[in-house]
Amino acid sequence: MKKLILVFLFLIASAFASDIKVQVLGSGGPELNDNRASSAYIIWVDNKSKILVDFGGGAALRFEEVKAKIEDLDIILLTHLHIDHTADLPALLKASFFSNRFKDIEIYGPDKGLFVPDTKTFINRLFENKKGAWEYMGDFLDGNAQFKLQTTVIPFSKEIKTIYDKNNIKIKAISVNHGPIPATAYKVSIDGKSITFSGDMSGKYSTLEKLAVNSNILIAHNAVPKGAQGVAKNLHMTPDIIGYIAKEAKVKNLVLSHRMLRTLGKEDITKKEIRKYYEGKINFAEDKSIYLVQ
Ligand SMILES: [Zn+2]
């Protein structure tokens, strides 16, 4: 009887649970000869494009191709401020002028570092009245436009911080090591299902494995191959590190993205390295790949 009640409760909960998908808009890095857009992802909730994670070059066109809507966007999470993760943000903002969007957009991103400003200063430098590169868009910062960009800087932390908890969406963040560039990994949980985004990182802080615990999907950046050395290894995870983290965190599905010429064509050896530790599902992302979060 108890079992029957549990099954019944599960069916009721499933009937009301949101349909959650994550779509890769850009599965590449900064290169322009890989036929891939740079880093960008959408989380679809009940077929609405609610959350963006990064928005690198080419993402604006992919956004259009997958029929995402600016009107449905609530949140933009920036893992870090490198060009291949942020370059199409001005295109998105300009396009919003021609949309029916009237609700503020929340942007989150890391604090400043040696070579980059904090995320709020970064957005100001793009659009601020009289100072920004595109100062004619300043109305979107001072509240005189149809909506406002609300930017929140996430301070450096090797402990997990909840940065958003509204409308059934919970977002946690933790700092990850991307050489000298401040970088943040995010875990987005909706109805008890979660997706973790590594962003670009080396694995040196051992923080991603804490954040990603029990994620339904971990999107990890496969920017360097087995045996990478020097700068590449200081900035990025080699495949064995990705495998170790996926295993430690017990993730259900590992999606490899931010693929680059140096990793493309090496999928077999990459997979073998990951399999030293991790036994779950492995997918190599393409632009517009879509994954049900389950
Ligand atoms: Zn990158």
Side-chain angles (χ1 to χ4, degrees), residues 117-136:
D118 67 75
T119 302
K120 196 173 174 68
T121 306
F122 175 82
I123 297 292
N124 286 346
R125 284 182 186 172
L126 291 178
F127 306 121
E128 201 175 6
N129 201 7
K130 304 282 181 217
K131 289 184 197 157
W134 291 283
E135 59 173 283
Y136 73 102

Side-chain angles (χ1 to χ4, degrees), residues 80 84-85 200 258:
H80 64 293
D84 58 317
H85 296 253
D200 293 3
H258 203 289

Side-chain angles (χ1 to χ4, degrees), residues 54-73:
D54 287 345
F55 210 64
L61 179 61
R62 296 285 184 253
F63 187 90
E64 185 173 341
E65 287 171 346
V66 303
K67 299 191 167 44
K69 284 193 186 149
I70 294 169
E71 290 87 335
D72 292 337
L73 268 185

